[in-house]
Amino acid sequence: MDLEVNKNIPQRYPFQMIDRFNDVKPGIGSTATKLLTIDEWFFANQPADHLVAPRPVMIEAMAQTGVAAILSMDKNKGKNVFFGGIPRAEFKDDFRPGDKLTLAVKLKKMRGNVGLGHGTITREGKEICTADLIFAIE
């Protein structure tokens, strides 16, 4: 399986939130890496002593991780996947420049054009975010 980001998800800069995929298992799940740098567009105009990545942006990164597992399925090639919602999310810390984040999403259920997944974001082996995600397939 090709792990190049541009071959696995349709999002492009500035909306592409994944730096690289570590693993993509069609219909099962995927993992990705995001290195937060000071140059991220969402840090612009924030106070220098309190740079924090917006939580919705990090949820989007998690969703993009899950989309790769859906679009890599043969039956979904060439389709679009839309982020359908967040039934539950929990944040244990903020995201800051210099963080190396590992994002993982496991697909829990796929029925028709709707998928449910569970995602985590870890930093240095510590879980800092979990979320349940809804995906809508075109």
Side-chain angles (χ1 to χ4, degrees), residues 33-110:
T33 298
K34 173 66 180 168
L35 301 171
L36 289 178
T37 69
I38 193 82
D39 297 325
E40 304 287 352
W41 60 268
F42 44 79
F43 289 133
N45 300 319
Q46 287 191 22
D49 62 342
H50 189 69
L51 295 173
V52 175
R55 290 176 172 183
V57 170
M58 302 317 305
I59 293 288
E60 173 64 22
M62 191 185 301
Q64 290 179 16
T65 303
V67 164
I70 295 170
L71 290 179
S72 63
M73 298 169 66
D74 287 337
K75 71 179 186 173
N76 294 328
K77 298 263 189 231
K79 293 185 178 180
N80 282 321
V81 177
F82 302 97
F83 189 24
I86 314 159
R88 186 193 67 77
E90 180 182 349
F91 296 87
K92 299 175 183 167
D93 199 0
D94 289 322
F95 309 93
R96 296 180 185 86
D99 285 353
K100 180 180 179 182
L101 304 173
T102 301
L103 303 100
V105 174
K106 289 188 169 109
L107 299 178
K108 297 292 189 180
K109 185 187 296 186
M110 299 289 293

